Protein backbone atom coordinates (compact mmCIF):
# COMPACT_ATOMS: atom_id res chain seq x y z
CA UNK A 1 0.00 0.00 0.00
CA UNK A 2 1.23 3.44 -0.87
CA UNK A 3 2.32 5.68 2.10
CA UNK A 4 0.80 8.87 0.56
CA UNK A 5 -2.89 8.09 1.37
CA UNK A 6 -1.93 7.22 4.97
CA UNK A 7 -0.01 10.48 5.34
CA UNK A 8 -2.90 12.47 3.88
CA UNK A 9 -5.31 10.79 6.26
CA UNK A 10 -3.07 11.56 9.21
CA UNK A 11 -2.81 15.21 8.16
CA UNK A 12 -6.59 15.44 7.85
CA UNK A 13 -7.12 14.03 11.34
CA UNK A 14 -4.79 16.68 12.86
CA UNK A 15 -2.01 16.22 15.37
CA UNK A 16 -2.17 13.33 17.79
CA UNK A 17 -3.20 14.16 21.35
CA UNK A 18 -0.29 14.54 23.76
CA UNK A 19 0.31 11.54 25.96
CA UNK A 20 1.21 11.61 29.62
CA UNK A 21 4.84 11.03 28.71
CA UNK A 22 5.05 13.91 26.24
CA UNK A 23 3.01 16.45 28.24
CA UNK A 24 5.06 19.14 30.00
CA UNK A 25 5.32 18.63 33.76
CA UNK A 26 2.86 20.59 35.82
CA UNK A 27 4.42 22.88 38.49
CA UNK A 28 3.48 21.84 41.97
CA UNK A 29 1.72 24.36 44.07
CA UNK A 30 4.21 25.88 46.54
CA UNK A 31 3.13 26.59 50.10
CA UNK A 32 1.96 30.11 50.61
CA UNK A 33 4.47 30.60 53.44
CA UNK A 34 7.42 30.08 51.10
CA UNK A 35 6.05 32.60 48.62
CA UNK A 36 5.66 35.32 51.24
CA UNK A 37 8.70 37.52 52.00
CA UNK A 38 10.42 36.75 55.31
CA UNK A 39 9.89 39.28 58.08
CA UNK A 40 13.33 40.72 58.97
CA UNK A 41 12.21 41.35 62.55
CA UNK A 42 11.43 37.69 63.22
CA UNK A 43 14.85 36.90 64.68
CA UNK A 44 15.48 34.87 67.83
CA UNK A 45 18.44 37.10 68.64
CA UNK A 46 16.16 40.11 69.10
CA UNK A 47 14.38 40.59 72.42
CA UNK A 48 11.06 41.84 71.02
CA UNK A 49 8.35 40.12 69.02
CA UNK A 50 7.47 41.43 65.55
CA UNK A 51 8.12 44.99 64.49
CA UNK A 52 9.86 46.95 67.27
CA UNK A 53 8.39 50.01 68.90
CA UNK A 54 10.37 53.23 69.17
CA UNK A 55 11.07 52.49 72.84
CA UNK A 56 12.49 49.07 71.87
CA UNK A 57 14.92 50.65 69.43
CA UNK A 58 15.94 53.32 71.93
CA UNK A 59 16.72 50.77 74.64
CA UNK A 60 18.60 48.50 72.24
CA UNK A 61 20.63 51.48 70.98
CA UNK A 62 21.44 52.49 74.56
CA UNK A 63 22.77 49.01 75.35
CA UNK A 64 24.87 49.01 72.19
CA UNK A 65 26.26 52.50 72.81
CA UNK A 66 27.17 51.66 76.42
CA UNK A 67 29.26 48.74 75.17
CA UNK A 68 30.94 50.93 72.55
CA UNK A 69 31.60 53.53 75.24
CA UNK A 70 33.68 51.13 77.31
CA UNK A 71 35.52 49.90 74.23
CA UNK A 72 36.40 53.49 73.33
CA UNK A 73 37.83 54.02 76.83
CA UNK A 74 40.17 51.03 76.68
CA UNK A 75 43.17 52.94 75.21
CA UNK A 76 42.97 55.49 78.06
CA UNK A 77 42.19 53.18 80.93
CA UNK A 78 45.77 52.45 81.96
CA UNK A 79 47.16 55.94 81.42
CA UNK A 80 44.48 57.68 83.51
CA UNK A 81 44.78 55.42 86.53
CA UNK A 82 48.11 56.95 87.60
CA UNK A 83 47.60 60.52 86.39
CA UNK A 84 43.89 61.39 86.81
CA UNK A 85 42.38 58.61 88.94
CA UNK A 86 39.18 60.53 89.81
CA UNK A 87 38.51 61.12 86.12
CA UNK A 88 39.09 57.41 85.53
CA UNK A 89 36.64 56.53 88.31
CA UNK A 90 33.95 58.79 86.84
CA UNK A 91 34.44 57.57 83.29
CA UNK A 92 35.08 53.90 83.91
CA UNK A 93 34.34 52.99 87.53
CA UNK A 94 36.94 50.23 87.34
CA UNK A 95 38.45 48.41 90.30
CA UNK A 96 41.97 49.71 89.71
CA UNK A 97 40.74 53.29 89.31
CA UNK A 98 38.93 53.27 92.68
CA UNK A 99 41.90 51.71 94.48
CA UNK A 100 44.27 54.23 92.88
CA UNK A 101 42.05 57.24 93.64
CA UNK A 102 41.76 56.22 97.32
CA UNK A 103 45.54 55.74 97.53
CA UNK A 104 46.10 59.22 96.08
CA UNK A 105 43.65 60.60 98.65
CA UNK A 106 45.64 58.90 101.42
CA UNK A 107 48.82 60.75 100.42
CA UNK A 108 47.06 64.10 100.19
CA UNK A 109 45.86 64.24 96.59
CA UNK A 110 42.08 64.43 96.83
CA UNK A 111 39.35 63.48 99.28
CA UNK A 112 38.11 60.02 100.12
CA UNK A 113 34.52 61.33 100.15
CA UNK A 114 34.94 62.57 96.57
CA UNK A 115 36.37 59.18 95.63
CA UNK A 116 33.32 57.36 97.03
CA UNK A 117 30.82 59.70 95.35
CA UNK A 118 32.64 59.43 92.03
CA UNK A 119 32.74 55.63 92.40
CA UNK A 120 28.98 55.40 92.97
CA UNK A 121 28.33 57.33 89.78
CA UNK A 122 31.06 55.58 87.78
CA UNK A 123 29.97 52.06 88.65
CA UNK A 124 26.20 52.46 88.23
CA UNK A 125 25.80 55.04 85.45
CA UNK A 126 24.54 52.53 82.85
CA UNK A 127 22.80 50.07 85.18
CA UNK A 128 19.35 51.60 84.70
CA UNK A 129 19.51 50.69 81.00
CA UNK A 130 19.51 46.98 81.83
CA UNK A 131 16.68 47.44 84.33
CA UNK A 132 14.79 49.16 81.52
CA UNK A 133 15.50 46.25 79.16
CA UNK A 134 14.09 43.80 81.70
CA UNK A 135 10.98 45.94 82.14
CA UNK A 136 10.43 46.08 78.36
CA UNK A 137 11.25 42.54 77.28
CA UNK A 138 11.04 40.36 80.36
CA UNK A 139 12.33 36.82 80.36
CA UNK A 140 13.56 36.87 76.77
CA UNK A 141 16.21 39.52 77.40
CA UNK A 142 17.64 37.39 80.22
CA UNK A 143 18.05 34.52 77.78
CA UNK A 144 19.75 36.82 75.27
CA UNK A 145 22.19 38.20 77.86
CA UNK A 146 23.08 34.80 79.29
CA UNK A 147 22.55 32.45 76.35
CA UNK A 148 19.94 29.74 76.06
CA UNK A 149 21.67 27.03 78.03
CA UNK A 150 20.75 25.25 81.24
CA UNK A 151 22.17 28.00 83.46
CA UNK A 152 19.92 30.56 81.85
CA UNK A 153 16.89 28.31 82.31
CA UNK A 154 17.77 27.73 85.97
CA UNK A 155 18.19 31.44 86.59
CA UNK A 156 14.85 32.26 84.96
CA UNK A 157 13.13 29.52 86.97
CA UNK A 158 14.67 30.78 90.20
CA UNK A 159 13.56 34.35 89.50
CA UNK A 160 10.03 33.14 88.68
CA UNK A 161 9.96 31.16 91.91
CA UNK A 162 11.43 33.75 94.29
CA UNK A 163 10.56 37.14 92.78
CA UNK A 164 11.57 40.13 94.89
CA UNK A 165 12.95 37.87 97.62
CA UNK A 166 15.76 37.14 95.20
CA UNK A 167 16.04 40.32 93.12
CA UNK A 168 16.12 42.87 95.95
CA UNK A 169 19.17 41.44 97.75
CA UNK A 170 20.70 40.45 94.42
CA UNK A 171 20.73 44.08 93.21
CA UNK A 172 22.53 45.17 96.41
CA UNK A 173 25.05 42.33 96.23
CA UNK A 174 25.47 42.30 92.44
CA UNK A 175 29.05 43.74 92.51
CA UNK A 176 30.07 40.79 94.67
CA UNK A 177 28.21 38.02 92.79
CA UNK A 178 29.94 35.76 90.24
CA UNK A 179 27.29 36.42 87.57
CA UNK A 180 26.98 39.29 85.09
CA UNK A 181 25.40 42.34 86.70
CA UNK A 182 23.25 42.90 83.60
CA UNK A 183 21.29 39.71 84.37
CA UNK A 184 20.47 40.87 87.89
CA UNK A 185 19.41 44.33 86.74
CA UNK A 186 17.26 42.95 83.90
CA UNK A 187 15.64 40.51 86.32
CA UNK A 188 14.82 43.41 88.64
CA UNK A 189 13.03 45.23 85.84
CA UNK A 190 11.30 42.08 84.66
CA UNK A 191 9.88 41.27 88.10
CA UNK A 192 8.35 44.75 88.46
CA UNK A 193 10.83 46.61 90.68
CA UNK A 194 10.30 50.36 90.34
CA UNK A 195 13.08 52.49 88.93
CA UNK A 196 13.40 54.44 92.19
CA UNK A 197 13.75 51.29 94.29
CA UNK A 198 16.26 49.94 91.80
CA UNK A 199 18.42 53.07 91.92
CA UNK A 200 18.40 53.12 95.73
CA UNK A 201 19.38 49.45 96.03
CA UNK A 202 21.96 49.82 93.26
CA UNK A 203 23.49 52.85 94.98
CA UNK A 204 23.76 50.92 98.26
CA UNK A 205 25.52 48.04 96.52
CA UNK A 206 27.82 50.38 94.60
CA UNK A 207 28.75 52.20 97.84
CA UNK A 208 29.55 48.89 99.55
CA UNK A 209 31.76 47.82 96.65
CA UNK A 210 33.45 51.21 96.35
CA UNK A 211 34.01 51.33 100.11
CA UNK A 212 35.78 47.97 100.02
CA UNK A 213 38.07 49.01 97.16
CA UNK A 214 38.66 52.47 98.59
CA UNK A 215 39.59 50.92 101.93
CA UNK A 216 42.15 48.76 100.15
CA UNK A 217 43.62 51.77 98.34
CA UNK A 218 43.69 53.80 101.55
CA UNK A 219 45.54 50.99 103.34
CA UNK A 220 48.11 50.62 100.55
CA UNK A 221 48.71 54.35 100.31
CA UNK A 222 51.95 55.36 98.64
CA UNK A 223 52.77 51.87 97.40
CA UNK A 224 49.53 51.77 95.40
CA UNK A 225 50.29 55.25 94.05
CA UNK A 226 53.71 54.07 92.87
CA UNK A 227 52.19 51.06 91.12
CA UNK A 228 49.53 53.23 89.46
CA UNK A 229 52.13 55.67 88.20
CA UNK A 230 54.21 52.85 86.77
CA UNK A 231 51.14 51.48 85.01
CA UNK A 232 50.47 54.91 83.51
CA UNK A 233 54.07 55.17 82.36
CA UNK A 234 53.60 52.06 80.23
CA UNK A 235 49.96 52.82 79.56
CA UNK A 236 50.12 52.14 75.82
CA UNK A 237 51.40 48.59 76.24
CA UNK A 238 49.02 47.90 79.09
CA UNK A 239 46.15 49.15 76.95
CA UNK A 240 47.18 46.87 74.09
CA UNK A 241 47.27 43.93 76.50
CA UNK A 242 43.77 44.82 77.77
CA UNK A 243 42.41 45.03 74.21
CA UNK A 244 43.94 41.64 73.37
CA UNK A 245 42.39 40.09 76.48
CA UNK A 246 38.98 41.57 75.70
CA UNK A 247 39.05 40.35 72.10
CA UNK A 248 40.19 36.89 73.19
CA UNK A 249 37.44 36.74 75.79
CA UNK A 250 34.81 37.75 73.24
CA UNK A 251 36.02 35.12 70.77
CA UNK A 252 35.98 32.43 73.43
CA UNK A 253 32.47 33.46 74.45
CA UNK A 254 31.29 33.34 70.84
CA UNK A 255 32.69 29.83 70.41
CA UNK A 256 31.05 28.72 73.64
CA UNK A 257 27.65 30.09 72.55
CA UNK A 258 27.96 28.45 69.12
Amino acid sequence: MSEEPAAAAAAAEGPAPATAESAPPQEENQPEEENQPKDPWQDARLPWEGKPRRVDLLCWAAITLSGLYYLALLPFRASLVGTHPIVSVLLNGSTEAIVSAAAFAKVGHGSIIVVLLAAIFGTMKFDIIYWWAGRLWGEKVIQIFSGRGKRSAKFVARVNRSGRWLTWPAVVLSPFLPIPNALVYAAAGWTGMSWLTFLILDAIGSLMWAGLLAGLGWALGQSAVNVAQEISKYGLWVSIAIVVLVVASQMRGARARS
Side-chain angles (χ1 to χ4, degrees):
M1 180 183 295
S2 171
E3 296 180 359
E4 292 181 1
E13 292 177 2
T19 62
E21 295 181 357
S22 61
Q26 296 293 329
E27 295 184 359
E28 297 181 358
N29 293 329
Q30 298 295 329
E32 294 183 1
E33 293 79 2
E34 295 182 4
N35 296 329
Q36 295 178 353
K38 184 179 180 181
D39 187 355
W41 297 113
Q42 295 296 335
D43 192 330
R45 295 169 295 181
L46 297 176
W48 53 77
E49 297 290 342
K51 187 176 181 180
R53 302 163 294 175
R54 179 179 299 179
V55 69
D56 294 326
L57 296 177
L58 286 175
C59 186
W60 194 251
I63 293 173
T64 303
L65 290 175
S66 66
L68 295 176
Y69 171 87
Y70 282 116
L71 288 176
L73 284 181
L74 282 178
F76 312 100
R77 183 168 174 172
S79 59
L80 287 174
V81 75
T83 57
H84 301 83
I86 289 293
V87 174
S88 182
V89 172
L90 286 170
L91 294 178
N92 196 38
S94 62
T95 298
E96 67 274 11
I98 298 173
V99 172
S100 174
F104 272 85
K106 175 65 178 295
V107 299
H109 299 284
S111 166
I112 192 66
I113 300 299
V114 174
V115 172
L116 291 175
L117 292 176
I120 292 174
F121 173 80
T123 54
M124 63 178 289
K125 57 183 175 293
F126 293 136
D127 296 350
I128 192 67
I129 297 175
Y130 298 96
W131 169 91
W132 187 24
R135 175 60 64 91
L136 287 176
W137 305 315
E139 177 181 333
K140 190 171 182 180
V141 75
I142 305 242
Q143 296 174 343
I144 290 175
F145 287 160
S146 62
R148 300 178 180 274
K150 293 182 178 180
R151 290 184 179 181
S152 174
K154 289 181 179 179
F155 181 77
V156 169
R158 186 173 300 175
V159 172
N160 275 321
R161 186 169 57 251
S162 303
R164 68 174 57 189
W165 296 103
L166 173 65
T167 55
W168 283 50
V171 170
V172 175
L173 299 175
S174 59
F176 305 90
L177 298 178
I179 59 176
N181 293 350
L183 292 181
V184 176
Y185 304 150
W190 164 35
T191 53
M193 182 183 294
S194 70
W195 66 269
L196 182 58
T197 300
F198 172 77
L199 289 178
I200 293 173
L201 296 177
D202 193 20
I204 293 172
S206 297
L207 179 59
M208 292 169 55
W209 177 250
L212 178 65
L213 297 178
L216 175 61
W218 186 269
L220 294 174
Q222 186 62 50
S223 59
V225 171
N226 295 337
V227 171
Q229 290 175 337
E230 286 297 316
I231 291 175
S232 294
K233 188 182 297 183
Y234 302 100
L236 175 61
W237 299 108
V238 175
S239 299
I240 292 174
I242 292 174
V243 171
V244 170
L245 289 175
V246 169
V247 172
S249 176
Q250 293 294 328
M251 292 177 63
R252 183 176 60 182
R255 285 198 299 267
R257 287 191 295 271
S258 62

